[in-house]
C-alpha cells in the first residue's frame, strides 16, 4: 500500500529525503533528537493534520526547515506520501496515488492529489475511503501510547468509528445533511417567496377576472355601439334628406306666395278699371239730370203753350161774338199778375227767356183782345191757335224724344252701376286672396323656421353623435365605431334608440371604472403565475430531494449503527484476546456509556445510535488477572501501555488501516512484554504496513528494513538504510 514518503524542507529534513516502504514492517532507528519523530509527523502533516500541537509546533513556520550555518532556512515544507493503488483501495482510477501537502511561512497550506490542487476536504474524503481517518488512530505519537485510555469517552468513540472505517459514512451523512439543510433552506426560501407572491397573485387574479368581465362588457358595448351608431347615422341622414326636401318645397311655396302677393297687391293699389267704372256711373247720372231738367223746362213750355192756346181759343170765340171788347179790370189785373208771376221765378236764363216769351204772349193776347179789329183779331187769334198748336206738337215730340233718351240714360246708369258693383266684388275677391296669400306666406315662413330649427336640432344631434363616437372609441376601441351603413332603418320607435343610448352610457361608465385594457396586468399575471407554477415545481423537486436525502440519512444512520455495533463486537473480541495475551489472562471490553437522560431503554439506545447528536461514548472496562483493579487510572504506566496497545491492535485488526505508525509505543515495555509486542506486530503486519520508531532491539528485529536517522552538526536529519542482516546485527 504505502510506497514512499518524500520529505523536503520539513522540520529537520532540510533536503529532500525519500523513504521507501517495500516491506511489511519498517523500523526507523537512530539517536535521540536525530529526527525520527519528525518522520511520523511528516505523515501526520501530509494527511492533513490541523493541530500544530500534535506536530509539536506553534506556528506553521515551526514545520519548515529553520536553517543552520550550512543550510539556509527553507520557505516551504513539503511532504508527499505515495500509495500503491493497483487494488483501487482509493476510489480513484490511478495505480498510484500521491497525496502532497506544502506549507508556507505565511501559514497557508496547499494540498494536491496526483499533482492536482485540491481542498483539504477532498484529501480527507479520499483518505476516509481507504480507512485512514482524521483522528489519527493509526499514528501513535511518541508518549501517546495511552492516549486512547486518557481521552474522553466521546473521543474514544470517534477513534473507534474512524478505525472501523465508518468515517466514509459520516462524510456521506454530513454531506447529505448539509444538502438537506441547504434543501430545507431552499424550501423555506421558495415557501416564503410563494407566500410573498400569494397576495399579489390573488390580487392579480381578481384584476384579471375583472378584466375578463370588462372584456365581455366591452364586446357587448361594441356590438351595442355599432347598432346604435349605424341606426343613428341612418336616422340622421334620412332626417336631413327629408328636411332638405321639405325645406326646398316650403321655400318654393313661400316664394310663389310672395310673388303672387306682390303682384296682387300691385293690382289692388292701382284700380284703373274701378275709377273708369265709377266715372261711367257719374256720367250716366249727369246725363239723366240734364235730360230731367230739359224735360221739366219742356213741361213748363208745354204748360205755357197749352195756356196760351186755351186763351187764344177763348178770345177767338169771344171776338167772333163781340166786335169790340171792353177791358175788364180783372183782365188788366190778371195780366199784371201774369207778368209778375212770370218774372218772379225766372232767374235762370232759360227760365227768363221762357218767362219773357210768356209775358210777350200774354201782352200780345191782351192787346189783340182789346185793341185789334175783331176779324183781324179773329184771324190773328186763329193763327195764334195754329201756331200754338204747332208749337205744342213740337214740344210734345221733343218731350217724347227726351223721354226715350232719358230712358236710355237710365239704362246706361243702371248698367254702369252694375258694372261698378261687379267691379267692387272683384276687389273684395282680391283682398280675400291677399289675405289668403299673406296667411299662406306666414304659414310657409313658420314652416321654414320650424324646419330650420329642426335643421339646427339635427346638427346638434350630429355633433352629439360624433362626440359620442369619440368617447366610445376611447373607451372601447375602434371596433365600436366601425360598422357598415344600414340599407334600411329598423321599424321601431325613437324611444328604442334613446334606451340604447342610455344603456351605452351606463356600460361606458362601467367599462371606464374597470379601467384600461389591462395588458400590463395580464402580462404581470402571466409572469407571476408562471413564476408561481415554477416555484411550485421547484418546491416539489425540493420536497422530493429532501425526502430522498432524509431517506439516505436514515439509511446511512441505520448502516452506521449496524456497522458500529458489528465493529464494536469484533473489536471487543479482539481486544479481550490481545489483552489476555498481553497480561497472561484477565479481560477487557469496550462498552457504550450509559445515556445521560433518564430511562436508558434499549429502544432509545438504538435510537441514539441512529442519532449522531446523541451518540454514546465508549467506556473501557479492564479486569487484570490476580488484581482487583477496575479503574484505568489505577494501572501502572506499562499496564496502561499494554492495555492501549491491545486496544489499538484490536481496532487495527478488525478493520486494518493501510499503515500503522508506532512512535516508541514500546518504550515502557519490559523484555517479556517486548517479545509479546513483537509477536503482535508481526501478526498485525500481515494486514497493515507498519512503521515503527523504536529504540527497542526486539522490535527492530521484526522489521524488514531499518532506516537509520542521524543528525550531524549542521542540524540536518540524514537517512541511511540498514539491510536486514545488518539490522539483526545492530539489534544484537
Ligand atoms: P528521540 O529519540 O529523542 O525521540 P527523535 O529522533 O525522535 O528523538 P525528533 O524529535 O524527531 O528526534 O527531532 C527533533 C529534532 O528536530 C531536534 O533536534 C530539532 O532541533 C529538530 N527540528 C525540529 N524542528 C526543526 C526545524 N523547523 N528546523 C530544523 N530543525 C528542527
Amino acid at each position: 500500500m504505502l510506497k514512499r514518503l518524500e520529505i523536503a524542507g520539513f522540520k529537520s529534513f532540510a533536503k529532500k529525503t525519500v523513504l521507501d516502504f517495500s516491506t511489511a514492517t519498517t523500523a526507523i532507528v537512530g539517536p535521540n533528537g536525530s529526527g525520527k519523530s519528525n518522520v511520523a509527523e511528516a505523515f501526520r502533516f501530509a494527511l492533513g493534520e490541523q493541530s500544530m500541537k500534535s506536530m509539536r509546533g506553534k506556528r506553521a513556520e515551526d514545520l519548515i526547515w529553520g536553517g543552520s550555518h550550512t543550510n539556509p532556512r527553507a520557505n516551504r515544507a513539503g511532504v508527499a506520501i505515495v500509495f500503491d493503488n493497483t487494488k483501487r483501495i482509493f476510489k480513484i482510477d490511478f495505480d498510484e496515488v500521491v497525496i502532497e501537502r506544502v506549507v508556507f511561512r505565511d501559514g497557508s497550506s496547499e494540498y494536491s492529489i496526483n499533482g492536482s490542487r485540491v481542498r483539504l476536504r477532498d484529501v480527507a474524503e479520499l483518505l476516509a475511503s481507504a480507512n485512514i481517518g482524521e483522528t489519527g488512530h493509526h499514528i501513535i505519537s511518541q508518549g501517546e501510547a495511552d492516549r486512547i485510555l486518557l481521552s474522553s469517552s466521546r473521543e474514544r468513540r470517534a477513534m473507534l468509528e474512524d478505525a472501523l472505517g465508518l468515517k466514509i459514512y459520516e462524510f456521506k451523512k454530513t454531506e447529505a445533511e448539509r444538502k438537506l439543510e441547504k434543501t430545507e433552506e431552499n424550501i423555506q426560501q421558495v415557501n416564503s417567496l410563494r407566500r410573498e407572491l400569494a397576495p399579489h397573485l390573488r390580487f392579480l387574479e381578481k384584476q384579471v377576472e375583472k378584466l375578463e368581465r370588462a372584456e365581455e362588457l366591452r364586446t357587448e358595448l361594441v356590438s351595442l355601439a355599432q347598432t346604435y351608431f349605424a341606426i343613428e347615422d341612418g336616422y340622421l341622414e334620412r332626417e336631413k334628406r327629408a328636411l332638405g326636401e321639405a325645406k326646398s318645397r316650403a321655400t318654393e311655396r313661400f316664394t310663389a306666395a310672395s310673388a303672387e302677393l306682390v303682384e296682387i297687391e300691385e293690382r289692388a293699389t292701382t284700380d284703373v278699371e274701378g275709377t273708369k267704372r265709377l266715372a261711367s256711373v257719374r256720367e250716366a247720372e249727369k246725363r239723366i239730370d240734364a235730360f230731367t231738367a230739359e224735360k221739366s223746362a219742356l213741361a213748363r213750355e208745354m204748360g205755357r203753350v197749352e195756356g196760351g192756346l186755351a186763351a187764344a181759343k177763348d178770345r177767338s170765340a169771344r171776338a167772333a161774338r163781340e166786335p169790340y171788347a171792353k177791358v175788364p179790370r180783372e183782365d188788366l189785373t190778371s195780366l199784371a199778375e201774369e207778368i209778375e208771376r212770370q218774372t218772379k221765378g225766372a232767374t235762370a236764363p232759360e227760365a227768363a227767356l221762357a218767362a219773357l216769351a210768356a209775358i210777350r204772349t200774354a201782352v200780345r193776347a191782351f192787346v189783340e183782345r182789346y185793341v185789334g179789329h175783331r176779324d183781324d183779331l179773329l184771324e190773328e187769334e186763329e193763327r195764334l191757335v195754329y201756331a200754338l198748336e204747332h208749337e205744342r206738337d213740337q214740344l210734345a215730340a221733343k218731350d217724347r224724344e227726351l223721354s226715350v233718351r232719358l230712358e236710355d240714360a237710365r239704362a246706361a246708369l243702371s248698367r254702369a252701376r252694375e258694372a261698378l258693383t261687379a267691379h267692387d266684388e272683384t276687389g273684395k275677391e282680391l283682398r280675400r286672396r291677399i289675405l289668403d296669400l299673406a296667411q299662406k306666406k306666414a304659414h310657409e315662413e313658420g314652416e321654414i323656421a320650424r324646419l330650420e330649427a329642426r335643421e339646427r336640432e339635427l346638427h346638434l344631434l350630429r355633433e352629439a353623435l360624433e362626440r359620442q363616437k369619440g368617447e366610445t372609441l376611447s373607451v372601447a376601441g375602434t371596433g365600436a365605431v366601425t360598422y357598415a351603413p344600414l340599407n334600411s332603418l329598423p321599424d321601431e320607435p325613437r324611444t328604442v334608440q334613446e334606451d340604447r343610448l342610455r344603456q351605452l352610457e351606463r356600460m361606458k361608465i362601467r367599462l371606464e371604472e374597470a379601467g384600461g385594457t389591462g395588458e400590463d396586468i395580464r402580462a404581470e399575471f402571466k409572469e407571476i403565475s408562471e413564476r408561481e407554477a415554477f416555484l411550485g415545481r421547484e418546491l416539489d423537486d425540493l420536497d422530493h430531494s429532501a425526502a430522498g436525502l432524509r431517506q439516505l440519512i436514515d439509511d446511512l444512520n441505520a448502516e452506521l449503527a449496524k456497522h458500529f455495533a458489528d465493529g464494536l463486537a469484533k473489536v471487543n473480541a479482539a481486544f479481550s484476546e490481545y489483552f489476555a495475551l498481553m497480561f497472561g489472562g484477565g479481560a477487557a471490553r469496550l462498552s457504550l456509556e450509559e445515556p445521560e437522560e433518564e430511562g436508558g431503554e434499549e429502544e432509545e439506545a438504538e435510537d441514539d445510535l441512529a442519532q449522531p447528536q446523541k451518540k454514546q461514548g465508549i467506556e473501557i472496562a479492564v479486569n487484570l488477572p490476580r488484581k482487583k483493579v477496575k479503574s484505568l487510572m489505577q494501572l501502572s504506566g506499562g499496564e496502561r501501555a499494554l492495555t492501549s496497545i491491545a486496544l489499538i491492535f484490536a481496532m487495527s485488526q478488525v478493520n486494518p488501516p493501510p499503515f500503522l505508525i508506532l512512535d516508541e509505543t514500546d518504550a515502557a515495555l519490559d523484555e517479556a512484554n517486548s517479545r509479546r509486542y513483537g509477536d503482535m506486530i508481526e501478526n498485525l503486519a500481515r494486514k497493515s504496513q507498519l512503521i515503527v520508531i523504536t529504540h527497542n532491539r526486539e522490535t527492530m528485529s521484526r522489521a524488514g528494513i531499518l532506516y537509520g536517522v542521524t543528525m550531524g552538526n549542521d542540524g540536518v536529519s540524514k537517512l541511511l538504510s540498514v539491510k536486514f542482516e545488518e539490522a539483526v546485527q545492530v539489534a544484537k
Side-chain angles (χ1 to χ4, degrees):
M1 266 304 302
L2 195 61
K3 283 172 89 174
R4 272 195 319 279
L5 179 72
E6 298 172 2
I7 316 175
F10 184 79
K11 287 202 164 183
S12 57
F13 290 90
K15 292 176 184 150
K16 183 167 174 181
T17 308
V18 179
L19 288 92
D20 266 301
F21 304 105
S22 46
T23 56
T25 309
T26 305
I28 297 173
V29 301
N32 291 132
S34 58
K36 300 185 297 294
S37 295
N38 289 346
V39 175
E41 272 152 22
F43 275 101
R44 278 194 192 279
F45 170 76
L47 297 177
E49 178 62 65
Q50 294 299 298
S51 155
M52 289 302 293
K53 206 176 138 201
S54 67
M55 292 183 286
R56 294 179 296 161
K58 281 183 181 160
R59 301 179 300 273
E61 282 190 332
D62 298 338
L63 301 178
I64 303 170
W65 164 247
S68 69
H69 59 279
T70 52
N71 281 290
R73 67 171 199 169
N75 288 324
R76 67 202 285 280
V79 178
I81 309 175
V82 182
F83 293 94
D84 180 280
N85 193 37
T86 44
K87 289 182 184 163
R88 294 291 181 272
I89 191 146
F90 291 108
K91 303 272 178 282
I92 54 172
D93 205 16
F94 290 97
D95 286 346
E96 197 175 77
V97 171
V98 183
I99 293 171
E100 187 177 12
R101 179 180 180 184
V102 177
V103 71
F104 299 89
R105 288 201 173 268
D106 64 357
S108 61
S109 280
E110 279 178 8
Y111 299 86
S112 59
I113 294 173
N114 285 5
S116 303
R117 282 279 296 275
V118 293
R119 298 166 300 167
L120 169 61
R121 184 188 163 74
D122 302 317
V123 174
E125 278 185 42
L126 183 70
L127 293 171
S129 73
N131 199 24
I132 306 171
E134 54 189 11
T135 53
H137 67 279
H138 52 296
I139 302 176
I140 312 299
S141 298
Q142 192 177 358
E144 284 199 341
D146 56 353
R147 183 162 72 101
I148 195 157
L149 303 186
L150 298 172
S151 47
S152 72
S153 61
R154 292 200 179 247
E155 283 168 342
R156 239 177 260 140
R157 174 162 186 148
M159 272 186 241
L160 183 63
E161 283 179 350
D162 219 355
L164 290 173
L166 301 182
K167 214 65 205 169
I168 190 70
Y169 295 105
E170 287 289 348
F171 274 124
K172 282 186 188 163
K173 211 178 88 179
T174 313
E175 177 69 16
E177 278 167 353
R178 202 178 52 76
K179 279 187 186 161
L180 180 62
E181 202 180 315
K182 191 87 201 139
T183 307
E184 275 167 352
E185 259 173 43
N186 285 344
I187 288 176
Q188 271 184 356
Q189 268 173 12
V190 170
N191 271 329
S192 81
L193 278 176
R194 285 182 98 191
R195 268 198 304 279
E196 272 170 39
L197 280 186
H200 190 50
L201 188 65
R202 274 200 301 280
F203 167 78
L204 286 174
E205 218 161 41
K206 281 206 187 104
Q207 291 300 103
V208 168
E209 270 173 33
K210 254 195 208 168
L211 282 173
E212 262 150 28
R213 284 202 298 278
E215 201 45 56
E216 281 169 28
L217 188 64
R218 188 192 315 282
T219 316
E220 254 179 78
L221 191 146
V222 164
S223 134
L224 180 71
Q226 285 171 341
T227 311
Y228 174 77
F229 289 137
I231 293 177
E232 200 64 8
D233 256 350
Y235 168 75
L236 290 181
E237 257 337 285
R238 190 191 67 186
E239 287 299 294
K240 195 180 162 190
R241 223 172 22 248
L243 185 74
E245 284 163 12
K247 200 179 155 193
S248 76
R249 279 198 303 275
T251 311
E252 251 172 50
R253 286 198 301 273
F254 174 76
T255 316
S258 300
E260 198 181 345
L261 192 63
V262 167
E263 193 230 335
I264 290 176
E265 272 177 343
E266 207 175 338
R267 260 205 287 163
T269 47
T270 55
D271 191 3
V272 182
E273 186 63 32
T275 320
K276 247 166 55 191
R277 296 202 181 183
L278 193 62
S280 297
V281 172
R282 295 280 171 271
E283 183 88 348
E285 280 171 349
K286 263 187 202 155
R287 279 176 60 206
I288 286 170
D289 282 352
F291 285 141
T292 309
E294 207 176 336
K295 218 165 177 244
S296 302
L298 203 65
R300 279 195 303 277
E301 189 64 11
M302 191 66 116
R304 181 192 59 80
V305 170
E306 290 278 0
L309 189 61
K313 275 181 177 172
D314 187 46
R315 273 189 318 274
S316 167
R318 265 187 293 137
R321 281 176 332 254
E322 326 180 22
Y324 308 99
K326 306 184 260 197
V327 180
R329 189 173 289 267
E330 59 273 22
D331 280 354
L332 282 171
T333 312
S334 89
L335 181 63
E337 280 172 1
E338 179 65 16
I339 291 165
E340 193 64 31
R341 193 173 50 91
Q342 285 293 345
T343 54
K344 201 181 251 179
T347 50
E350 296 99 335
L353 274 175
L356 195 61
I359 291 167
R360 200 180 65 201
T361 309
V363 169
R364 195 174 283 153
F366 189 81
V367 167
E368 290 232 347
R369 198 190 309 165
Y370 292 108
V371 179
H373 191 271
R374 205 201 70 150
D375 290 334
D376 293 340
L377 195 66
L378 196 55
E379 202 182 336
E380 187 73 15
E381 284 303 326
E382 279 174 356
R383 272 201 305 273
L384 185 60
V385 168
Y386 178 73
L388 283 173
E389 278 178 346
H390 180 69
E391 197 177 353
R392 188 194 61 191
D393 288 345
Q394 273 190 325
L395 282 175
K398 207 175 177 181
D399 187 58
R400 278 196 302 278
E401 192 193 315
L402 262 177
S403 289
V404 169
R405 287 174 71 181
L406 189 61
E407 238 5 80
D408 286 351
R410 281 208 176 99
L413 177 63
S414 157
R415 274 199 308 278
R417 279 212 174 110
E418 269 171 25
L420 186 63
T421 312
H423 182 71
D424 282 352
E425 279 302 316
T426 314
K428 260 190 221 157
E429 184 58 37
L430 267 183
R431 278 192 295 282
R432 230 185 354 261
R433 183 82 188 123
I434 286 170
L435 270 179
D436 277 357
L437 281 172
Q439 228 166 35
K440 194 172 175 192
K441 200 175 130 185
H443 172 75
E444 295 305 338
E445 236 165 13
E447 180 67 6
I448 289 169
R450 187 184 69 76
L451 291 172
E452 277 170 352
R454 177 70 178 145
E455 204 168 45
R456 281 193 296 279
E457 192 189 357
L458 285 180
H459 185 69
L460 290 176
L461 282 175
R462 170 57 71 186
E463 276 181 357
L465 180 63
E466 294 308 322
R467 213 166 35 243
Q468 186 67 251
K469 279 188 195 175
E471 284 172 14
T472 312
L473 174 88
S474 71
V475 174
T478 44
V481 290
T482 311
Y483 49 88
L486 292 178
N487 290 328
S488 62
L489 288 171
D491 186 17
E492 61 180 27
R494 270 298 280 171
T495 49
V496 177
Q497 268 294 81
E498 286 160 11
D499 287 346
R500 275 192 199 108
L501 181 61
R502 271 194 292 276
Q503 206 189 339
L504 197 64
E505 288 293 349
R506 280 200 296 272
M507 287 168 100
K508 259 161 50 186
I509 291 168
R510 277 169 58 202
L511 197 57
E512 263 172 348
E513 280 170 355
T517 56
E519 278 316 311
D520 42 351
I521 299 261
R522 275 177 214 276
E524 198 181 349
F525 176 67
K526 187 165 176 274
E527 190 192 312
I528 300 280
S529 43
E530 276 170 5
R531 179 146 172 68
E532 157 66 22
F534 169 76
L535 288 176
R537 285 195 300 276
E538 188 95 318
L539 198 62
D540 283 349
D541 288 353
L542 286 171
D543 280 340
H544 198 70
S545 64
L549 286 168
R550 278 192 206 96
Q551 184 60 49
L552 178 63
I553 291 167
D554 284 352
D555 291 350
L556 285 169
N557 276 330
E559 225 167 321
L560 262 173
K562 188 177 172 302
H563 285 300
F564 184 76
D566 289 354
L568 184 62
K570 284 180 188 160
V571 168
N572 258 333
F575 185 31
S576 276
E577 200 185 310
Y578 283 128
F579 188 84
L581 193 72
M582 287 283 204
F583 288 94
R589 67 174 272 112
L590 299 177
S591 60
L592 289 169
E593 70 179 353
E594 288 298 311
E596 283 169 28
E597 293 90 347
E598 277 179 44
E601 284 170 26
E602 202 66 18
E603 260 189 8
E604 272 192 27
E606 270 183 23
D607 263 4
D608 281 349
L609 282 179
Q611 299 295 321
Q613 66 271 33
K614 288 180 188 170
K615 274 180 184 168
Q616 291 163 281
I618 299 286
E619 304 277 22
I620 302 172
V622 290
N623 196 356
L624 290 178
R626 299 172 300 277
K627 292 186 183 172
K628 288 212 183 283
V629 177
K630 292 275 186 247
S631 163
L632 291 173
M633 301 309 290
Q634 290 176 318
L635 297 174
S636 78
E639 284 168 344
R640 280 228 297 278
L642 283 174
T643 309
S644 178
I645 288 164
L647 181 53
I648 289 165
F649 284 16
M651 289 198 305
S652 301
Q653 171 155 322
V654 169
N655 192 31
F659 61 92
L660 198 61
I661 299 169
L662 303 165
D663 189 353
E664 298 184 34
T665 317
D666 52 6
L669 305 183
D670 59 23
E671 221 181 300
N673 278 335
S674 290
R675 262 198 310 281
R676 285 182 192 137
Y677 178 77
D679 292 344
M680 281 203 287
I681 281 178
E682 272 186 22
N683 193 27
L684 210 59
R686 282 185 212 122
K687 287 175 180 166
S688 299
Q689 257 175 303
L690 294 183
I691 295 158
V692 289
I693 297 168
T694 185
H695 294 293
N696 191 314
R697 284 159 198 269
E698 183 60 45
T699 309
M700 284 183 214
S701 71
R702 314 276 175 146
I705 284 183
L706 286 183
Y707 278 109
V709 182
T710 59
M711 186 182 276
N713 290 337
D714 55 2
V716 178
S717 293
K718 291 184 189 73
L719 205 68
L720 56 108
S721 63
V722 184
K723 292 200 175 84
F724 182 71
E725 299 80 41
E726 293 169 75
V728 173
Q729 216 48 36
V730 170
K732 281 177 180 166

